[in-house]
Amino acid sequence: MYKVLLLLAFFLSNLAVQAQYIDTALLKEKFHFFSKRHSSTSLFLHLDKSVYTNNEKIWFGAYLIDTPQNQANHNLLSVFLVGENRRKIELDGKFKIEKGVSSGSLRLPDTIPPGSYQLLSYTNVLDNSGAPVARFSVPIEIKSVTQQSFTSQLTLLDSIPRNGMVRVKVDVQAKAGQASDKNLPVVNYSAGKGYVHSAILKSNDLIIEVPVEQLTQTKPTLFAKVSYNNQVQHLSIGLPEIDKKRIDIKFFPEGGNLANDLLGRVAWEAKTAQGSPIAVIGLLLKNGEVIDTVETNSYGMGSFQLIPDAESVYALKIRSGGYLQSDTVLALPKSRLNHLQLHLPKAVVNDTLSVRIYNLQSKPVQIIIHNYKKDYAVFKTPDLPTLSTIRLPLDGLPKGLSTITILDEAGRPLAERLFFAHYDKSISTAVHTEKAIYGKNDTVKVKIKMVDHLEKPIQGIFSAAVVQDNRIRVNFADIETSVYLNHNLGTLPADPLGKGFRNKDYLENMLLIKGWRRYTWQDLLDTKAEDTLQHHQTLQIGGNVKLRNKPLKSPVKVLAMNSEGVAIIESENNGSFSLHADQLITRDGDKVKLMINGTHERTYQIDIDDPYNQMNNRLAEQLERSYTNGVIDNSNTSVQELKGLQHNINLQTVNIKAGKRNSSINGYHGEPGANACGDYVDEFNYLNWEHSEKRFKPVQGKTYLKRTNLEGSYFKVEAVTYHGCTTENKVAGFVMNGIGGGKEYYDSEEEKSDNPHRSTIYWQSGVVTDAAGEAELKFTTGDLTDNFRIVIQGITTDNLISGHGTVTVK
């Protein structure tokens, strides 16, 4: 039926078109091979916010979208946090995936320094190259709520090298009214491999000279750590990149090429050498004469029209100033003879695509509408007119990115363009509260109503967060932008308006420039069956048991014990064994202890091979800094402090002796986490209490509280002395982190008692709408007065859920 409608559209536009398949069987086979070779699976994590402080939890809901049947074994999610500049993995966790959905949290340690970070995640399924099939990353910021006794700043003094050096000034200033340490500030700094130095500031500032050989790397950066007054501050600043053009201009002719004597549209993009988009003005030249003035917008993108002729030379001139020391002239792509031009007046459309084709002489062409996974319409016309306007109904096309490809009679691509179909077929998510303003510790009920574009109720699953408004940045990830755009087009510059997918102008620019291709079609035709032989390996946690450091000769039983129970795993004859996700599922933060069954001999050793550790490090090394992180003039620690909390946070004192302080707003409790034996103590001095939220390594010889559960709801508490962690006192074994069950939810009462000024006052994943498309959220506000944003992200069987609301607390 759909092809009949398309055929009718061709006739209505007075084209002599005859509907005909182009070797249908071969074409379908190529699309099948291509879709298997290039996975369509995408992963999205909805975080509760984008700005955190130390000791807060990062709550998330994870969604797998468009997973093929042959990749149904996505059952484990790895989530880890990396310092954008330091490439150090700060914390990580694993979580169970069930039916394409997961959820959980990671608690930020007290000692994590403020700065920019990336939260990365991936599933256990790998492609032929050994890389995760589904992965996701999102930037977050960590701010300090601790009152700092001093400020430090890096200032770039040279935008270009002078005498083989680039100078950066370090300023350290004690705050007024704050006591100063007798010791002088110490600065440790590095830039590039082998360039690591430290210095003592005898005055308030220091000039650092970075040699030019450290500026040849991509996006060179100076990292500094300032130690003063028993506090540590971290800063970084982008340095100028030498041996690179100071500005990068790229041209993107619509459809792939310019054609002689035909009206064409040329998109262009301007970025700094470090990849930051910039707005510039250029002069369009023909044989050296100015014929037009063109410019890029705040995205660093723009477009202009041009009718090139074969005898002329076209170029773009950018005048000196800003990023350029001298005028720069860049040649435009050369136009082609006997070619055609493809133009889409709008690439973001609903149910109809309007196409204009400019052609100097009639020629046979083939037109295919597809999404590189399936062909939805194939046509051939023996006599394409010189000017054709075609309206194509898109009833059979799924919502999302698709492609129109024009081929010559030999099947060679002439033009190609991305477009977005059925943009209007979005889910409308209405968020209603009982009143506009609530008081402290007030009860809030939120009613959610979801309908499709036809006003029919929608059933779906979603996660919901209610977060202080200043904790969400303009680049906060939303599921529609991530799945529809980033998954296919890569990392995109943030929409300055913060609307992302909902901003049509932004989307048009992204499709014209980031969706430009020349040509994927040939890659499609070249794809063969052997290219798609994907076995889809999965990451598997394994282990090995040895006896007196020698391989076993007969199998043994390994016990995997945690708060949820005991799993028994039988090893192979040589002692090797595999651990499955279900055998490692625990409550948040719990450990799994592996021991040999039926023996207390200390001559057994258990070693664990966790491939997720290697994969985490591999992905961290590949991490690119955020799109807009380029050369900056200065970096000041004042921006690392979270503003607006002075009326509700009890600020710490700063006169704590060295070695007894971290950045916790709750004071010092010890080194975070459990020790090698799996022992830990919480902030209330309970030793190894399974429900402890915050965990620290216990200290040998200190006295702690030991809680023992009795029958019913009774328990007893006694004081015990911790005798330390020694292998002599433990049965031979191994202690490892467990896997989150994917069913962890926000306990408002528990979080409220722990922090009445919490910025996330509600989080819930796995919320399901009923048959009427409705759901209800209920929570209690805290002591923090401000505007709070309600953010909803989720999925249905064939669409994505995204909604917003507001709660004001006074």
Side-chain angles (χ1 to χ4, degrees), residues 39-262:
S39 175
S40 60
T41 304
S42 59
L43 172 67
F44 175 77
L45 263 63
H46 171 202
L47 307 190
D48 62 322
K49 52 197 172 194
S50 52
V51 179
Y52 295 85
T53 64
N54 49 1
N55 214 22
E56 283 190 317
K57 276 188 175 181
I58 300 174
W59 296 92
F60 68 85
Y63 302 93
L64 270 174
I65 297 105
D66 201 13
T67 304
Q69 289 291 330
N70 63 343
Q71 294 179 16
N73 51 349
H74 293 267
N75 56 35
L76 194 60
L77 178 73
S78 176
V79 183
F80 62 102
L81 185 68
V82 181
E84 251 191 354
N85 297 325
R86 289 176 285 275
R87 299 296 192 273
K88 175 187 175 184
I89 296 177
E90 300 288 348
L91 71 161
D92 62 272
K94 301 183 187 72
F95 303 87
K96 182 181 179 181
I97 299 173
E98 191 169 3
K99 296 181 180 179
V101 177
S102 182
S103 64
S105 66
L106 294 173
R107 184 176 289 280
L108 294 167
D110 290 345
T111 53
I112 192 167
S116 298
Y117 291 80
Q118 284 276 342
L119 188 77
L120 292 89
S121 58
Y122 60 93
T123 73
N124 57 305
V125 180
L126 308 180
D127 61 20
N128 282 352
S129 67
V133 166
R135 69 174 84 176
F136 176 82
S137 68
V138 61
I140 69 169
E141 296 176 52
I142 297 179
K143 301 281 189 179
S144 173
V145 295
T146 302
Q147 179 176 318
Q148 300 290 305
S149 63
F150 72 98
T151 61
S152 53
Q153 176 172 303
L154 297 179
T155 303
L156 183 65
L157 300 180
D158 300 317
S159 59
I160 59 174
R162 298 179 185 275
N163 300 319
M165 300 285 182
V166 165
R167 296 173 302 154
V168 177
K169 183 181 179 181
V170 183
D171 288 284
V172 179
Q173 298 283 346
K175 289 185 177 179
Q178 296 289 334
S180 297
D181 197 330
K182 294 180 180 180
N183 296 321
L184 296 172
V186 176
V187 179
N188 295 278
Y189 55 95
S190 62
K193 295 181 179 179
Y195 185 78
V196 180
H197 297 277
S198 63
I200 298 175
L201 272 68
K202 296 182 180 180
S203 61
N204 290 333
D205 56 54
L206 168 73
I207 303 298
I208 296 174
E209 294 184 328
V210 182
V212 291
E213 54 263 28
Q214 301 299 335
L215 307 177
T216 56
Q217 56 183 307
T218 301
K219 298 182 180 179
T221 305
L222 177 72
F223 304 106
K225 181 177 77 172
V226 181
S227 304
Y228 185 45
N229 280 357
N230 295 323
Q231 292 181 331
V232 174
Q233 296 181 353
H234 296 264
L235 300 99
S236 64
I237 189 168
L239 300 173
E241 188 174 2
I242 66 171
D243 297 333
K244 299 282 186 180
K245 290 186 299 183
R246 296 290 310 284
I247 191 170
D248 183 20
I249 302 288
K250 291 183 179 179
F251 300 103
F252 306 91
E254 185 176 17
N257 292 291
L258 284 170
N260 285 337
D261 301 320
L262 291 176

Side-chain angles (χ1 to χ4, degrees), residues 744-805:
E744 182 188 4
Y745 302 122
Y746 185 92
D747 186 334
S748 59
E749 291 305 316
E750 183 177 347
E751 293 286 336
K752 179 181 175 181
S753 62
D754 183 51
N755 178 15
H757 303 103
R758 63 199 187 280
S759 62
T760 298
I761 59 176
Y762 181 80
W763 167 266
Q764 183 76 301
S765 61
V767 185
V768 179
T769 55
D770 59 21
E774 297 177 350
E776 184 177 272
L777 313 178
K778 184 178 180 180
F779 55 91
T780 304
T781 63
D783 291 341
L784 186 62
T785 58
D786 208 339
N787 292 323
F788 290 80
R789 194 181 308 184
I790 304 171
V791 181
I792 291 171
Q793 306 281 330
I795 58 174
T796 70
T797 55
D798 61 354
N799 213 328
L800 304 176
I801 297 170
S802 184
H804 300 274

Side-chain angles (χ1 to χ4, degrees), residues 601-616:
E601 293 183 24
R602 300 187 182 92
T603 51
Y604 282 96
Q605 300 88 37
I606 300 177
D607 296 320
I608 296 298
D609 178 21
D610 187 348
Y612 290 90
N613 293 334
Q614 290 85 0
M615 184 61 71
N616 290 354

